Amino acid sequence: MHLFSDLAIEFASDKSKQSSGISKTEDFFEDIKVTTVKILTQKVAEELGKPKGEYISFESKRNENIFDFQNIADLITENLSKLIGNLSRTTLVVGIGNTEVTPDALGPKTASKIFATRHLDSMSLQQFGLGKIKPVAAISPGVLGQTGIELFEIVKSVSASVKPDLIIFIDALAANEVSRLGSCVQISNTGLCPGSGVGNKRAELSYKTLGIPCITIGVPTVANAALFIKSNEIEADPCRYIVTPREIDRIIETASTVLSNAINQSLQPYVDRELLSLIV
């Protein structure tokens, strides 16, 4: 039975041992394992059904909640800053998901904590002691069932107005390993296909389709019920039922704070961290 996963450490685990078109490296920082998967060729990308690029994941070596570790935000910030490089002059942050469905609320919840600065003039910034500030805009466009508009259409239209040099997407992900639910973070420079992890694939959001460099950051919050339950109904439609951790409310709240802090610090490296946390 084919099950979907958004995590490179899952969909590329076997392939990295068989092909020169993909690489996988692991590093350890105290109790956090950092795994970097690089899809190097278009052939492997097509075989896996995932875009070429770099995927970096962070997870606890002890299968504990990763957001309980104090150094996770620093690790995410460091690696996210490397992916951003010199791309971020004007940045658009997009929180993908549905606020009415808790496991899918990570994107909007995180976007609400982003330090939006594009509307501030230089005089206002000087008054706050924020001279070296980069323009950032943040939106939570909702989902197709709420708006009747494809996410791609909204992002494309907003980008035409804002003219960002970089787009950062935040989204809830799907996993095949239960231990990774709420306990793993993945960032990539590949863009994304919303809903692909739960069999509801929408239009691709990437440099290829938008003409703008894209970074995606997410946390797995759901898994297919077929991983745990065997029944004729589930086998006939394995993507119809999903499961999520009992403490998903706390996971979303904590993860959104950690991710927003990492994004804010990566986009505004000249702003004091303590001041930045107070502003947001």
Side-chain angles (χ1 to χ4, degrees):
M1 181 184 297
H2 175 67
L3 297 177
F4 295 94
S5 173
D6 292 310
L7 299 178
I9 47 178
E10 293 181 345
F11 64 69
S13 58
D14 295 329
K15 194 70 177 179
S16 62
K17 302 175 183 177
Q18 305 168 3
S19 172
S20 59
I22 187 171
S23 68
K24 178 181 177 182
T25 59
E26 294 180 350
D27 292 299
F28 296 90
F29 298 88
E30 297 181 6
D31 290 314
I32 302 297
K33 181 170 75 171
V34 180
T35 305
T36 301
V37 174
K38 295 181 180 180
I39 299 178
L40 304 170
T41 66
Q42 188 59 35
K43 179 183 177 181
V44 171
E46 291 173 358
E47 290 174 355
L48 293 172
K50 302 293 181 181
K52 285 173 57 179
E54 185 173 354
Y55 302 77
I56 307 169
S57 64
F58 309 83
E59 56 185 335
S60 166
K61 292 190 297 183
R62 300 188 309 224
N63 292 329
E64 296 178 8
N65 191 328
I66 196 168
F67 301 109
D68 291 337
F69 295 94
Q70 294 182 348
N71 62 340
I72 184 61
D74 290 335
L75 284 172
I76 297 172
T77 301
E78 178 184 347
N79 285 270
L80 185 58
S81 297
K82 290 178 182 177
L83 285 184
I84 291 173
N86 297 321
L87 294 174
S88 66
R89 292 181 294 277
T90 297
T91 302
L92 174 63
V93 179
V94 182
I96 298 174
N98 186 346
T99 55
E100 302 301 318
V101 180
T102 304
D104 198 34
L106 176 69
K109 191 79 172 178
T110 305
S112 70
K113 301 175 183 179
I114 294 299
F115 182 30
T117 60
R118 182 174 174 268
H119 61 296
L120 299 175
D121 56 39
S122 57
M123 185 174 295
S124 299
L125 293 172
Q126 291 293 340
Q127 289 177 344
F128 285 103
L130 301 173
K132 293 184 178 181
I133 210 78
K134 296 180 180 180
V136 176
I139 61 170
S140 299
V143 294
L144 181 62
Q146 295 172 316
T147 64
I149 308 172
E150 282 281 0
L151 179 61
F152 173 80
E153 296 176 281
I154 297 175
V155 174
K156 186 74 172 177
S157 298
V158 173
S159 297
S161 177
V162 174
K163 295 179 173 57
D165 305 291
L166 171 69
I167 302 177
I168 297 178
F169 295 106
I170 309 147
D171 195 16
L173 308 177
N176 281 346
E177 291 290 338
V178 184
S179 62
R180 293 190 172 113
L181 296 183
S183 298
C184 178
V185 176
Q186 176 177 275
I187 60 177
S188 72
N189 61 358
T190 61
L192 79 163
C193 294
S196 60
V198 291
N200 185 32
K201 188 175 179 180
R202 313 306 306 175
E204 180 179 330
L205 297 160
S206 65
Y207 181 83
K208 176 182 176 181
T209 60
L210 294 168
I212 302 167
C214 298
I215 290 175
T216 302
I217 182 166
V219 174
T221 60
V222 297
N224 294 97
L227 291 165
F228 322 98
I229 305 171
K230 291 186 177 180
S231 74
N232 292 334
E233 185 175 1
I234 289 179
E235 289 180 0
D237 186 2
C239 292
R240 183 178 180 185
Y241 299 97
I242 60 174
V243 296
T244 193
R246 180 175 54 187
E247 66 277 14
I248 189 61
D249 299 80
R250 183 180 67 84
I251 289 171
I252 294 296
E253 182 60 41
T254 308
S256 64
T257 298
V258 171
L259 297 189
S260 61
N261 284 341
I263 293 170
N264 287 331
Q265 291 167 17
S266 298
L267 293 178
Q268 308 295 353
Y270 299 108
V271 180
D272 179 77
R273 290 188 175 191
E274 185 175 348
L275 176 61
L276 193 55
S277 63
L278 291 174
I279 293 173
V280 179

